[in-house]
Amino acid sequence: MTSQAMVSMSWVRTVLAEAQRQGIEETTLLRAAGIQPQELDRERWPIDHITRLWRAAARLTQDAGFGLKAGTVVGPASFNVVGFIVQSAATLRQALTVVQKYQSLISDGGRFQLLAGPQTSWLVYHPRQGDLAFSPHQIEAVLAAVVSASRWITPQPLRPTLVRFSHEAVGPLAGYREAFACPIEFNQAYSGLLIDNSVLDLPLPQANAQLARLHEQYAAAQLQALAQQQGLDEAVRNWLREQMASGARMAAPTRAEAATAFGLGERTLARRLSERGTHHNALLDEARRELALQWLAGGERTVREVAQQLGFAELSPFYRAFQRWSGSSPRAWATRNRSVG
């Protein structure tokens, strides 16, 4: 079992609001999802709660485009303080970088990754589900929300050049074209938006560096408080990524080394991670996946170099792991990514 991801109530409200627009009352939706009304008083929900909410909303509305519609109408409130920083950014690329940095204030049920190419860049969304498999509506809502959010800050609506989904089409193609106004590909290795670099780097008229710094200070304080609440699992995952990214070692960091780094005994570390619903190998796998996708898309390392730096003694176990992570071989994934960059 992976550690339980959490999502802010502002994103929960996005689902509730779209369901209500379609005639489904809040109490009806919560009952169908098996969630008690008092759960709305929490500051954050476990990701499985909102997954059940998405599934119930799609079932009750019978709307195959529910996720797209929910994402298309999001406002700044759905992004908490991150929305205010985004509105002060100098460029869309900087705005997306801010979202990456403070993503967990909105939800740590997924992570954005910006993969830069010479002419275009991929904004890839990596879901981090709980015990329940994500509803495709969740992923569609996230990507639609990125396009929708751009309207707050850009002179013209963002129009990606290509959108990819890791799942098959849920509804009619017309709904996807209306939401994204570009070609759509399904059953791909990842979900994301391909965006022209000229769009990403265009100066934005409402940029305000002083206001952005003020909001970032507040966001940083919120992030620090959240990290203390989230506890050891996130800290260990970040430490593992830093260790492997440093290039100073060729073996994967062990549980004993992690325990030493955090001033704990190895059994104590194992017990505390277990209390968070995870373990060292699961966190190592997540960190390896993130770095592998990042490095192979960047094109600066060979497959063998990536495997070695992630601590794989041989290529064959790395190939098996990468197939599990992405549904593709490392070389095929890297070629497909770099060919559109």
Side-chain angles (χ1 to χ4, degrees):
M1 180 189 299
T2 58
S3 56
Q4 182 63 285
M6 304 292 284
V7 60
S8 74
M9 292 307 294
S10 59
W11 194 240
V12 173
R13 292 289 179 188
T14 297
V15 187
L16 295 172
E18 179 56 32
Q20 194 161 38
R21 275 190 289 270
Q22 299 198 31
I24 307 299
E25 292 300 321
E26 184 176 281
T27 53
T28 302
L29 178 55
L30 290 173
R31 188 183 310 114
I35 298 171
Q36 297 298 318
Q38 56 264 33
E39 292 288 292
L40 294 176
D41 296 331
R42 299 177 60 166
E43 292 184 6
R44 292 167 73 86
W45 268 13
I47 196 67
D48 283 345
H49 269 37
I50 198 170
T51 295
R52 285 194 289 270
L53 196 71
W54 278 108
R55 291 178 176 183
R59 184 173 67 253
L60 292 179
T61 62
Q62 292 294 298
D63 184 359
F66 183 84
L68 293 174
K69 292 173 183 174
T72 299
V73 296
V74 299
S78 297
F79 291 82
N80 295 333
V81 67
V82 181
F84 295 109
I85 309 173
V86 163
Q87 292 178 83
S88 305
T91 64
L92 184 57
R93 187 186 298 276
Q94 185 183 88
L96 293 174
T97 301
V98 165
V99 172
Q100 286 180 282
K101 183 176 182 181
Y102 297 108
Q103 171 76 33
S104 58
L105 293 180
I106 308 167
S107 168
D108 52 17
R111 185 182 68 85
F112 283 109
Q113 185 179 18
L114 194 58
L115 305 173
Q119 286 81 40
T120 56
S121 298
W122 274 104
L123 180 67
V124 177
Y125 179 65
H126 302 291
R128 182 186 166 210
Q129 62 193 30
D131 293 331
L132 299 178
F134 260 30
S135 163
H137 293 282
Q138 292 171 268
I139 298 173
E140 292 182 0
V142 169
L143 296 191
V146 172
V147 174
S148 177
S150 71
R151 301 189 186 114
W152 317 333
I153 60 175
T154 55
Q156 296 179 343
L158 169 65
R159 295 190 182 279
T161 61
L162 178 64
V163 176
R164 284 178 174 167
F165 289 107
S166 57
H167 56 263
E168 62 185 17
V170 178
L173 286 178
Y176 294 96
R177 295 193 182 107
E178 182 179 354
F180 299 107
C182 71
I184 315 290
E185 296 179 353
F186 299 95
N187 295 314
Q188 300 297 308
Y190 54 90
S191 299
L193 310 173
L194 183 63
I195 307 171
D196 193 279
N197 286 343
S198 63
V199 175
L200 287 174
D201 298 322
L202 182 70
L204 299 178
Q206 83 300 339
N208 187 322
Q210 184 175 2
L211 193 59
R213 281 195 298 271
L214 182 64
H215 287 312
E216 280 219 49
Q217 288 174 0
Y218 179 62
Q222 282 194 321
L223 196 62
Q224 184 176 10
L226 182 61
Q228 292 174 348
Q229 295 172 11
Q230 287 179 325
L232 194 59
D233 54 338
E234 295 293 336
V236 170
R237 183 186 297 103
N238 291 336
W239 179 83
L240 290 168
R241 291 184 79 256
E242 291 168 1
Q243 289 294 302
M244 290 184 289
S246 70
R249 57 188 302 151
M250 289 299 170
T254 65
R255 188 176 71 178
E257 289 173 328
T260 299
F262 286 89
L264 300 171
E266 190 173 350
R267 289 185 178 179
T268 301
L269 174 66
R271 185 182 70 252
R272 292 190 182 180
L273 290 179
S274 179
E275 290 170 354
R276 300 287 298 176
T278 191
H279 51 83
H280 177 83
N281 287 343
L283 297 177
L284 177 63
D285 190 67
E286 292 174 21
R288 279 171 155 173
R289 175 185 181 274
E290 292 178 6
L291 289 172
L293 294 177
Q294 176 185 333
W295 290 342
L296 288 176
E300 296 178 356
R301 295 173 173 86
T302 66
V303 172
R304 184 175 294 277
E305 288 170 342
V306 170
Q308 289 177 341
Q309 194 161 344
L310 293 179
F312 289 91
E314 299 178 356
L315 276 179
S316 56
F318 174 66
Y319 269 76
R320 289 194 296 271
F322 197 89
Q323 183 74 33
R324 172 168 51 83
W325 294 330
S326 69
S328 174
S329 72
R331 288 190 173 87
W333 194 91
T335 300
R336 184 163 58 247
N337 252 283
R338 290 199 295 269
S339 66
V340 295

